[in-house]
Amino acid sequence: VQLVESGGGLVQPGGSLRLACVVSGFTLRRYWMYWVRQAPGKGLEWVSGISQGGETIDYADSVKGRFTISRDNAENALYLQMNSLKSEDTALYYCARNCDLRTMMCDKWGQGTEVTVSS
């Protein structure tokens, strides 16, 4: 099982980035998938989740209206479109499978992609 994120980088405040997570070794359409982030010196923060077929989507209040999660089960990929980025969005962003949001325990994680929002 592998989850490989990409798309992070340095962006100015107000800018946009699109993160991607390509998975292998399991059938993506069977699982809820999530984006989780960890800001420097802070704990894990759930960002967004999407159901197996994409019918149900949820966002943390901190990103609602700015971020859009999507998935392409045929391409084994999960995405996070991030617009109107703020300095507080600076973090290591992980895609993760099958998470318990109360404990932030997920059964599989990617290695993360770093997002830095700075002028």
Side-chain angles (χ1 to χ4, degrees), residues 32-50:
W32 271 80
M33 295 296 295
Y34 300 84
W35 287 98
V36 178
R37 68 186 181 185
Q38 186 167 28
K42 296 190 176 181
L44 293 170
E45 177 189 17
W46 166 73
V47 173
S48 183
I50 184 168

Side-chain angles (χ1 to χ4, degrees), residues 66-86:
R66 300 187 298 120
F67 289 12
T68 302
I69 191 172
S70 62
R71 65 193 293 161
D72 185 337
N73 289 335
E75 295 295 325
N76 293 315
L78 176 74
Y79 303 101
L80 186 69
Q81 177 68 42
M82 306 187 296
N83 298 330
S84 302
L85 282 161
K86 306 175 181 180

Side-chain angles (χ1 to χ4, degrees), residues 88-104:
E88 51 262 45
D89 295 317
T90 294
L92 188 59
Y93 284 73
Y94 298 95
C95 73
R97 188 183 82 172
N98 206 29
C99 301
D100 181 338
L101 299 184
R102 296 166 299 172
T103 62
M104 285 313 310

Side-chain angles (χ1 to χ4, degrees), residues 5 56 63 67 91 95:
E5 301 94 334
T56 303
V63 307
F67 289 12
C95 73

